[in-house]
Amino acid sequence: MSGIHIPELALVLLVGASGSGKSSFAAKHFGSFEVMSSDYFRGLVGNDPTDQSVTPAAFEALNFVVAKRLEAGLLTVVDATNVQPPARQALVEVARNQDVLVCAIVLDLPLELCLERNEKRSTGAVPPAVINRQHRQLAKSLRGMRREGFLRVQVLSSQEEVDTATIRRHKLLNDFRDQHGPFDVVGDVHGCLDELLLLLGKLDYAVARDGEGRPTDAVHGEGRRVIFVGDLVDRGPDSAGVLRLAMGMAASGNALCVPGNHEEKLVRALRGRTVALTHGLDATLDQLAGQEDGFGRKVADFCDGLVSHMVLDDGKLVVAHAGLIERYHGRASKRVRAFALYGQVSGEVDEYGLPVRYPWANDYRGDAAVLYGHTPVTEVAWINNTACLDTGCVFGGELSAMRYPEREVVQVPSLEQYCEPGRPLEAPRKPERSPNVLSMEDVTGPLFLKSEGLGTVRINEAQAAGALESMSRFAIDPRWLRYLPPTMSPAESSSQPGYLEHPDEAFAYYRRQGVTQVVCEEKHMGSRAVMLLSRDPARFDAPAGWLGALHTRTGRGFLAPGQERQVLAQAHAAMEQAGLWDELGTDWLMLDGELMPWSLKAEPLIKDTFASVGASALAATNAAVGLLEQTATNGVDVAGLLSRTQLRQANAGAFQDAYRRYVGSGEDLRFAAFQVLAAEGQSFETRDHGWHLAISGRLATAEPGLFAKTRSLRVDLGADGDVAAAVQWWEEATAAGSEGMVVKPWQNLTRSKRGWVQPGIKVRGREYLRLVYGPDYLAEGNVERLRQRATDKKRNRALQEYILGLEALRLTAQGAPLWKVHQMVFGVLALESEPLDPRL
């Protein structure tokens, strides 16, 4: 049995003449989507998998798809003859462009067997002369294939080897995602053993020593581990001692290490290659020469075996000596290693004769924190989720460590200056743009917006363009626009006679999702609003005296500045009286709710649409009824027409009553807060709705002149009595003029086997729906037609917006740069720009 080892992310070329069994081998060992067949692509572009005339076009398409799969981080197998070097090199180049390793599996079977199989093909047989030529080309290629850039070339020379072969996938050497820390990431040591020992002591590591008193290991009582960012050697007084300690810690599992450019050069010197003995290398070699026999060889093996960078903690942390741009994370190629060791240089030199390095961290936008060293700086500073830990210990600065995940910097000062720096140490290079400065690049589609643990939402170019128009013209200051609520999905159409929406359908949805406990909340007839309250204007880059913001679900302001300030001041007082600032340990809070009356926002809609429609409908039906009644008194049989017209007259009156009950003045302003969204350091999507409603109730008690209570009912979906009571509650409320209710999972953020569960489903009342679907929507035939409405697209959008909204809240709570928050908020608005049936 042949065990063939391939990386989990790689390009695999199957190589062999026609008839060697490549397709059967691929089908046996790889997934159907993992295999790219040249025959299949000939069929795609030419309708005939055997048409050799379309081969160039077929491979152009194949190479494009291969590149896209590798870009997405997916293992890809190419099933083609690949017996000619140019064909292989084109695919190797595709892999190199994506910084992916390439393996070859060669099916070098006897020519007679290939010809025999070819003859048995019912369709698509290849001329024998072609197979003869392919077999000769393969034999010629085998001599030099290993020099073509392949990580591995596995040759299977008999049918038995093919039949017994097994494929074993292994992680890339840089894949440490299953290791979660906690870690202490140590910057460039450069032979400063005494300072390293002091730093380890400050980090609470116990140092072990050998019989000669030399440090050989360090253990942390709570299981923490060190990660060295490289450049352990050169310039300092005891590179050999630093190596002995680092190697011992790595051997015992108490440390990890990536190589620095100084280790790279040291390995070449120890292997006997010609290198310039500069920058302290000569002293390091002298120190190693004074150690016990074999120590230099162990050092060379250790340093040579270090992988260019490490991706740790489920991809949340990347450690590389000189840093690493996002597209190189978890990739393997010469240029990835070169970047990790040396950074990105401009090709120029400065006034000190040293290379000018490109400030890649200024443009970094990755989710993973990147910790690195290489270029000494005066202090550790976070720049776009990256931090340089080389604070120039060997030059008289400090030796620094970053505690992860705490992000706490621990330092010890250098005991002396051991070396003059090639140029003065500089402060960390700040980004050319502030984290609070927005860029078109952040919001220009297509965008793939990731929410940690929730998924990825794609925003296309058209959606992004629509959002940009709305955001730039109408939205409030983006510094204060930190969240947009998701659209809310309606219940599926009801089969109950006389109803378009009914609670039964909402309850049925949650039962299908495995949710047993829900809460029914009164749906206030107002406008969805977000209230941001802040006692620290500087937290949101706001002017002194700023109290917060109140905006619509599309980011527009609700009130004139003076009225808004008055409302926010009332809200601040309620927070103080309810004791919520201290209880939540925050100086700012964000609330989701409804601002009433509805006419505050919808006055133009009421006046220009509803009132005119209602008045016209009543005028017309009143006149028609009067005329028909007069006609009936004259002995003409118009009873049927009169009955139908009277029904339309009643419907018009009901329509007028429906919108009139939601008209109010600014003096009637109330805010019904039904969810606490976020505060400093925390978001509250995992708190059950009982907690949220209790907070809302406390605010309403503290300031009843502003905050309105939200009536609610907890329902056990397995208890018929609970369900019946909830339906009755809804019927009574809607009959009394309520818009309806919203049904939510009691536990709030909920996931089922099918995916994320809708955060809420609205069930609107019969009379309110007249405003949505018209006065006569319940007339015979109308309601049946309306029941055919499709809610799936609305529900999908609701979940996507919910995911982006939660990520925006989390980022705001964490103090993330504004541009990251703005991307999520922008994404919600972009999804809203896609037209949907507005009645849903």
Side-chain angles (χ1 to χ4, degrees):
M1 179 182 295
S2 300
I4 303 174
H5 297 264
I6 60 173
E8 291 176 345
L9 171 56
L11 175 62
V12 180
L13 303 189
L14 299 182
V15 183
S18 299
S20 59
K22 297 184 301 301
S23 297
S24 298
F25 185 87
K28 178 181 178 181
H29 296 286
F30 301 100
S32 57
F33 290 112
E34 292 179 325
V35 179
M36 306 289 107
S37 166
S38 58
D39 288 344
Y40 178 75
F41 276 86
R42 287 189 189 94
L44 283 179
V45 301
N47 282 339
D48 183 354
T50 65
D51 185 357
Q52 298 297 317
S53 68
V54 299
T55 293
F59 271 91
E60 183 179 349
L62 182 148
N63 290 355
F64 178 81
V65 175
V66 167
K68 288 299 180 182
R69 284 184 57 85
L70 297 180
E71 181 181 356
L74 300 174
L75 183 138
T76 303
V77 181
V78 175
D79 173 15
T81 56
N82 290 319
V83 294
Q84 295 177 310
R88 295 191 297 271
Q89 280 306 113
L91 288 163
V92 169
E93 191 61 30
V94 170
R96 282 177 177 163
N97 289 338
Q98 299 300 329
D99 302 288
V100 171
L101 300 171
V102 191
C103 300
I105 302 176
V106 182
L107 277 62
D108 184 23
L109 299 187
L111 174 62
E112 295 75 14
L113 180 58
C114 296
L115 291 170
E116 179 184 340
R117 287 176 175 170
N118 183 61
E119 290 176 0
K120 293 180 180 179
R121 287 182 175 176
S122 57
T123 58
V126 177
V130 173
I131 298 178
N132 270 282
R133 183 175 67 250
Q134 292 172 351
H135 204 267
R136 291 194 303 272
Q137 290 170 333
L138 175 59
K140 184 177 180 181
S141 288
L142 283 176
R143 303 187 194 110
M145 190 180 298
R146 298 182 190 277
R147 298 191 296 271
E148 294 179 8
F150 292 101
L151 174 67
R152 297 187 185 96
V153 177
Q154 181 75 40
V155 181
L156 305 176
S157 301
S158 68
Q159 188 58 46
E160 180 183 2
E161 289 185 358
V162 172
D163 293 340
T164 59
T166 59
I167 301 293
R168 298 180 182 176
R169 305 188 189 193
H170 62 81
K171 296 193 304 180
L172 287 169
L173 296 178
N174 54 39
D175 185 354
F176 290 78
R177 289 174 296 176
D178 58 343
Q179 301 196 31
H180 306 290
F183 301 113
D184 297 307
V185 187
V186 176
D188 300 34
V189 180
H190 279 302
C192 299
L193 178 61
D194 291 339
E195 288 82 354
L196 177 58
L197 293 172
L198 289 172
L199 181 62
L200 291 173
K202 195 170 183 178
L203 292 167
D204 295 326
Y205 285 79
V207 175
R209 299 176 182 268
D210 62 12
E212 299 181 31
R214 299 175 299 189
T216 57
D217 200 359
V219 182
H220 197 281
E222 297 178 0
R224 301 182 71 93
R225 288 188 292 167
V226 165
I227 303 178
F228 293 105
V229 302
D231 277 6
L232 298 169
V233 301
D234 295 348
R235 295 192 170 115
D238 197 352
S239 293
V242 171
L243 283 168
R244 189 184 307 278
L245 176 55
M247 290 163 59
M249 293 179 68
S252 65
N254 291 317
L256 300 169
C257 187
V258 296
N261 57 299
H262 283 261
E263 280 79 42
E264 178 88 349
K265 190 175 181 182
L266 175 62
V267 169
R268 296 202 306 271
L270 292 173
R271 300 294 194 208
R273 299 177 186 173
T274 301
V275 296
L277 300 181
T278 55
H279 306 300
L281 176 59
D282 52 347
T284 297
L285 292 174
D286 288 342
Q287 293 168 22
L288 293 179
Q291 306 303 309
E292 69 272 16
D293 290 343
F295 184 73
R297 185 173 61 254
K298 291 178 182 178
V299 167
D301 292 342
F302 171 75
C303 295
D304 202 20
L306 298 176
V307 65
S308 66
H309 70 284
M310 293 180 176
V311 180
L312 306 110
D313 193 20
D314 295 325
K316 299 174 187 175
L317 174 65
V318 172
V319 178
H321 175 62
L324 207 62
I325 57 176
E326 186 178 17
R327 65 165 296 187
Y328 288 169
H329 295 180
R331 301 289 169 140
S333 68
K334 289 182 178 179
R335 68 177 176 180
V336 170
R337 184 175 180 85
F339 194 111
L341 289 173
Y342 303 102
Q344 187 174 4
V345 295
S346 66
E348 303 173 340
V349 294
D350 59 18
E351 65 270 29
Y352 303 102
L354 298 175
V356 176
R357 295 186 175 93
Y358 183 80
W360 62 272
N362 287 2
D363 299 322
Y364 183 74
R365 297 292 181 267
D367 295 325
V370 180
L371 298 179
Y372 64 103
H374 188 53
T375 304
V377 290
T378 56
E379 61 178 314
V380 176
W382 283 100
I383 297 176
N384 294 335
N385 209 21
T386 76
C388 177
L389 305 182
D390 182 2
T391 44
C393 179
V394 76
F395 302 122
E398 295 171 304
L399 185 59
S400 300
M402 177 74 73
R403 292 168 61 87
Y404 177 90
E406 300 89 343
R407 296 197 175 203
E408 174 191 350
V409 178
V410 179
Q411 297 176 313
V412 295
S414 175
L415 298 178
E416 63 177 281
Q417 181 176 341
Y418 302 104
C419 181
E420 285 286 343
R423 59 183 162 209
L425 271 62
E426 299 177 354
R429 297 183 182 181
K430 301 297 183 182
E432 293 180 2
R433 68 163 173 149
S434 163
N436 288 342
V437 173
L438 309 180
S439 168
M440 280 289 292
E441 295 177 0
D442 301 328
V443 294
T444 305
L447 301 171
F448 293 87
L449 303 180
K450 298 179 181 179
S451 180
E452 184 177 338
L454 297 175
T456 300
V457 176
R458 183 182 187 275
I459 306 297
N460 63 41
E461 293 182 16
Q463 292 170 328
L468 189 62
E469 168 75 6
S470 181
M471 185 74 75
S472 60
R473 293 184 61 189
F474 305 113
I476 66 171
D477 192 313
R479 292 174 295 175
W480 313 324
L481 184 59
R482 299 304 185 104
Y483 173 77
L484 290 180
T487 188
M488 188 169 293
S489 174
E492 294 175 0
S493 299
S494 174
S495 58
Q496 297 264 9
Y499 289 95
L500 182 58
E501 294 181 7
H502 192 274
D504 286 349
E505 279 66 38
F507 295 153
Y509 165 81
Y510 284 117
R511 286 194 194 98
R512 291 195 300 271
Q513 301 298 320
V515 175
T516 59
Q517 300 286 321
V518 299
V519 60
C520 300
E521 296 181 6
E522 169 189 9
K523 193 174 192 310
H524 298 278
M525 186 51 188
S527 302
R528 190 77 173 269
V530 176
M531 180 181 285
L532 171 62
L533 304 172
S534 177
R535 298 194 300 182
D536 179 14
R539 174 64 172 77
F540 294 92
D541 194 20
W546 182 79
L547 298 177
L550 182 66
H551 62 78
T552 71
R553 66 173 300 267
T554 55
R556 306 183 186 201
F558 264 114
L559 308 173
Q563 187 181 14
E564 180 184 74
R565 183 171 180 81
Q566 180 181 353
V567 168
L568 294 174
Q570 286 181 273
H572 273 263
M575 287 286 294
E576 192 72 45
Q577 185 173 339
L580 291 174
W581 293 121
D582 293 335
E583 181 177 321
L584 298 176
T586 185
D587 280 329
W588 64 270
L589 190 76
M590 203 181 306
L591 300 169
D592 192 2
E594 290 277 333
L595 191 66
M596 300 170 286
W598 183 44
S599 55
L600 275 175
K601 175 185 173 187
E603 184 175 357
L605 177 67
I606 294 171
K607 286 183 176 180
D608 301 338
T609 302
F610 293 152
S612 59
V613 168
S616 299
L618 275 175
T621 54
N622 288 342
V625 167
L627 182 61
L628 289 170
E629 288 176 340
Q630 180 65 40
T631 302
T633 62
N634 293 334
V636 180
D637 183 11
V638 292
L641 179 58
L642 176 59
S643 176
R644 292 193 298 274
T645 307
Q646 288 172 330
L647 177 60
R648 295 187 65 194
Q649 181 188 44
N651 289 342
F655 177 83
Q656 193 173 65
D657 292 340
Y659 73 75
R660 280 179 171 173
R661 64 171 58 101
Y662 304 127
V663 176
S665 69
E667 297 177 357
D668 302 322
L669 187 147
R670 294 291 185 277
F671 184 79
F674 48 75
Q675 185 140 323
V676 185
L677 294 170
E680 187 64 35
Q682 53 189 327
S683 55
F684 302 103
E685 69 275 8
T686 58
R687 300 284 186 99
D688 65 55
H689 282 290
W691 180 85
H692 288 274
L693 291 170
I695 297 291
S696 174
R698 290 165 61 183
L699 288 171
T701 300
E703 181 50 79
L706 173 62
F707 287 102
K709 289 188 177 181
T710 297
R711 294 180 298 154
S712 65
L713 189 67
R714 185 173 179 177
V715 179
D716 181 348
L717 294 181
D720 293 341
D722 275 15
V723 173
V727 172
Q728 182 179 354
W729 184 71
W730 174 80
E731 289 175 341
E732 293 173 352
T734 54
S738 171
E739 178 184 343
M741 71 181 182
V742 179
V743 185
K744 303 176 180 179
W746 176 260
Q747 293 301 328
N748 211 340
L749 177 63
T750 303
R751 186 179 181 90
S752 72
K753 293 181 179 179
R754 302 181 183 184
W756 293 107
V757 174
Q758 287 288 337
I761 294 178
K762 60 186 177 184
V763 186
R764 296 167 290 184
R766 280 165 44 100
E767 293 308 310
Y768 172 77
L769 285 174
R770 291 189 192 277
L771 299 180
V772 179
Y773 290 102
D776 299 320
Y777 86 101
L778 287 176
E780 185 177 353
N782 285 350
V783 71
E784 289 303 321
R785 174 176 53 81
L786 292 173
R787 282 182 175 137
Q788 306 308 311
R789 63 186 187 164
T791 59
D792 288 349
K793 193 170 183 180
K794 177 84 168 181
R795 287 192 171 181
N796 289 339
R797 176 184 290 179
L799 277 177
Q800 289 180 317
E801 293 181 3
Y802 180 53
I803 287 169
L804 294 179
L806 287 183
E807 186 66 10
L809 293 174
R810 292 173 179 177
L811 290 170
T812 298
Q814 295 164 8
L818 176 63
W819 67 266
K820 284 192 171 185
V821 180
H822 187 65
Q823 273 193 322
M824 301 301 159
V825 174
F826 184 88
V828 175
L829 198 58
L831 291 173
E832 282 293 308
S833 70
E834 188 77 19
L836 276 182
D837 184 348
R839 299 173 299 178
L840 294 176

